[in-house]
Amino acid sequence: MPGIVIVGSGLAGYNLVRELRRLDAKVPITMLCAGSGDSYSKPMLSGAMSHGQTPDDLVLASMESQAKFLGIKIHAKTSVDELLPETNQLVCSRRLKIEYSSLVLATGASPLQPPLLGSATKLVSSVNTLEDFRRWYAAVSVLPSETPVVILGSGHIAVEFACELVAMGKQPHIVGPDAWPLQSILPDQVGKELHTGLENSGIEFHLGQTALRMDLLPSAPSEGSGLRYAVTLSDGSVLQAGAVLAAIGMEPNVELAEQAGIATRKGVLVNRSLQTSLRDVYALGDVAEIDGLYLPYVTPLIAEAKVLASVLLGQPAELQMNRPLVHVKCPLHPVVACPPLRPVKGEWEFEIDSRGAAAFLRSDSGVLEAFALTRERVQDRFALLASMHPVWN
Amino acid sequence: MKSYRCLICGYVYEEALGDPDSGVAPGTRWEDIPDDWTCPQCGVAKSDFEFLD
């Protein structure tokens, strides 16, 4: 009996294993992962430095201890090259062939790479894995105080890293084409209130811009300045920086699914039982689009893992959950959003005062479909959430 | 009063503040929070928290 095979050792993969083991101590489970297999939490990668945590501090458990404690086989540093659905096999690196009864794709998403010209484009950082964080930590730790750091992108991850850089005494510059930060989840008046608040807290913004070039500075402008790069923006201005972080968005790692002919769109398409278009293949976490919804957050992932564990062990189950809240780790200007899940016919209403900014989107029938809150008003989030329908009616 | 941190998202539970939105009154000690309580920020269980200070 080949058993359950899981590709990916992130929060999705390991939470699925935990939920499986809660229900069944014996079913054979094999995990394949490209990295070390050490478990860590990706949400913790932003903010860790400002809390004085090192990369080693972020390892929750080593691969070896996970394998032992969970009673599973883990093939780490193993890439999956091909999926052969006709024979229920995976062809992996190092000439490994793995057979499965059920296959779970938990491969997550990878950062989009910005299209840059110049002599330093290979030196753009991104922080998606613990290994990325090790490099980022090393690069930022040695920067003198007030060194500019350019962040490409103005969304969730960009804002979190910018806040952290302020806390660490560096000078973040956010560069992006949008009109206000978190534009994909905040309506205009809240986004602009956030923009002003973050500017007042020390983040410099270059919005309505993209970065065109990243070049090495010929030599450090002055001894010990920490400056290494020149980033040229679309308006022609040049920012000198000690580090450059790309945070322009993520794309789900769907290559394996695509190669095997599994239906994908932005992510791997699954139904509410997390099943793909292939009977024995499932997906969860940041790689999956569930019933057409892409929800790359922890709370949905936990619910998905519980449902999928049940399904894999022969107990049919369907995902249901409350609307996910998007918490942005932004201590300089607290913000939380519950963005619309599907297109809504209605207008945003705003309340902005000394408590912060609030926006509410009600459908024509008066039902609250989305909201956004800043500063003290974030305290209202749970009461508002309780008044909303769950994700599926 | 003590604090506990969620290992997954970093949310800090402070005993002095409780988690009133989930029915956990201010002053509730960690041991007295029901076992089915979950992190209000990310949804993981008590077992994914660590003692902070």
Side-chain angles (χ1 to χ4, degrees):
Chain A
M1 173 83 191
I4 300 168
V5 175
I6 302 171
V7 183
S9 61
L11 284 180
Y14 274 126
N15 270 289
L16 176 60
V17 175
R18 292 200 316 185
E19 294 298 334
L20 283 165
R21 281 288 176 247
R22 271 195 240 277
L23 299 174
D24 188 323
K26 297 222 176 68
V27 64
I29 301 172
T30 302
M31 177 183 271
L32 302 166
C33 55
S36 65
D38 293 342
S39 62
Y40 70 96
S41 171
K42 199 183 303 278
M44 294 296 275
L45 298 183
S46 62
M49 278 195 291
S50 59
H51 292 131
Q53 290 175 300
T54 67
D56 283 340
D57 289 335
L58 294 185
V59 175
L60 294 173
S62 69
M63 179 272 283
E64 293 80 4
S65 68
Q66 288 285 53
K68 185 167 170 204
F69 183 68
L70 295 166
I72 68 175
K73 175 86 187 123
I74 303 180
H75 296 280
K77 302 200 167 73
T78 299
S79 62
V80 181
D81 298 331
E82 212 184 343
L83 162 55
L84 305 173
E86 321 79 43
T87 51
N88 276 30
Q89 281 185 326
L90 292 173
V91 180
C92 306
S93 55
R94 296 184 279 140
R95 288 189 276 179
L96 189 62
K97 259 195 171 165
I98 304 267
E99 214 184 316
Y100 60 86
S101 307
S102 305
L103 173 65
V104 179
L105 303 176
T107 48
S110 295
L112 291 167
Q113 294 303 314
L116 291 169
L117 301 171
S119 57
T121 59
K122 291 197 169 47
L123 298 171
V124 171
S125 305
S126 55
V127 182
N128 186 45
T129 64
L130 188 54
E131 285 316 300
D132 290 338
F133 178 67
R134 286 186 194 279
R135 287 184 282 267
W136 179 246
Y137 180 85
V140 171
S141 305
V142 299
L143 295 178
S145 192
E146 292 173 34
T147 305
V149 174
V150 168
I151 298 175
L152 304 177
S154 58
H156 188 166
I157 303 305
V159 167
E160 290 195 353
F161 278 101
C163 284
E164 181 171 44
L165 287 164
V166 169
M168 298 186 63
K170 323 296 180 199
Q171 176 54 64
H173 290 254
I174 284 185
V175 174
D178 288 349
W180 58 84
L182 302 178
Q183 191 173 290
S184 66
I185 58 173
L186 296 180
D188 55 359
Q189 292 191 34
V190 177
K192 289 174 181 173
E193 194 256 7
L194 175 67
H195 183 187
T196 304
L198 292 179
E199 277 185 320
N200 292 341
S201 302
I203 298 175
E204 286 205 34
F205 283 86
H206 309 266
L207 297 179
Q209 299 269 358
T210 51
L212 299 181
R213 301 186 57 92
M214 179 174 161
D215 295 291
L216 284 168
L217 287 171
S219 57
S222 63
E223 181 71 39
S225 77
L227 295 171
R228 294 189 63 200
Y229 309 110
V231 179
T232 306
L233 307 189
S234 37
D235 69 355
S237 58
V238 178
L239 300 176
Q240 294 190 337
V244 179
L245 178 72
I248 62 171
M250 307 278 288
E251 58 186 346
N253 297 320
V254 300
E255 303 80 18
L256 193 60
E258 278 183 332
Q259 162 263 303
I262 294 171
T264 66
R265 195 172 55 175
K266 176 179 172 78
V268 176
L269 295 174
V270 298
N271 59 22
R272 285 171 62 187
S273 298
L274 291 312
Q275 189 178 38
T276 69
S277 56
L278 275 184
R279 194 193 53 203
D280 295 329
V281 184
Y282 304 80
L284 86 167
D286 286 3
V287 76
E289 253 186 88
I290 303 153
D291 194 35
L293 300 175
Y294 186 61
L295 303 169
Y297 304 110
V298 177
T299 321
L301 179 163
I302 302 297
E304 291 161 36
K306 290 178 158 61
V307 165
L308 183 51
S310 180
V311 168
L312 290 171
L313 295 173
Q315 288 295 322
E318 265 200 340
L319 187 63
Q320 176 59 290
M321 55 192 180
N322 286 333
R323 295 285 299 277
L325 287 180
V326 183
H327 286 99
V328 181
K329 267 179 287 187
C330 187
L332 298 175
H333 194 102
V335 55
V336 73
C338 185
L341 272 186
R342 308 173 181 93
V344 174
K345 265 196 184 165
E347 295 296 317
W348 283 96
E349 289 168 11
F350 299 96
E351 288 172 20
I352 305 188
D353 61 19
S354 57
R355 279 189 72 217
F360 309 98
L361 180 62
R362 294 180 200 282
S363 66
D364 287 346
S365 49
V367 172
L368 184 64
E369 291 287 349
F371 64 84
L373 306 165
T374 73
R375 294 194 286 131
E376 282 169 48
R377 286 177 176 270
V378 303
Q379 293 162 21
D380 302 339
R381 66 199 183 282
F382 291 117
L384 288 168
L385 189 61
S387 73
M388 299 171 83
H389 290 148
V391 170
W392 288 279
N393 274 329
Chain B
M1 303 234 89
K2 303 192 184 130
S3 315
Y4 292 76
R5 176 169 59 193
C6 176
L7 290 168
I8 304 306
C9 77
Y11 165 82
V12 176
Y13 173 81
E14 293 178 59
E15 290 181 337
L17 302 178
D19 176 23
D21 289 304
S22 307
V24 178
T28 305
R29 291 180 315 161
W30 182 249
E31 311 82 72
D32 297 330
I33 300 175
D35 284 338
D36 63 354
W37 177 86
T38 56
C39 173
Q41 192 155 278
C42 76
V44 298
K46 279 181 84 175
S47 51
D48 279 322
F49 277 70
E50 66 178 353
F51 173 70
L52 195 55
D53 57 32

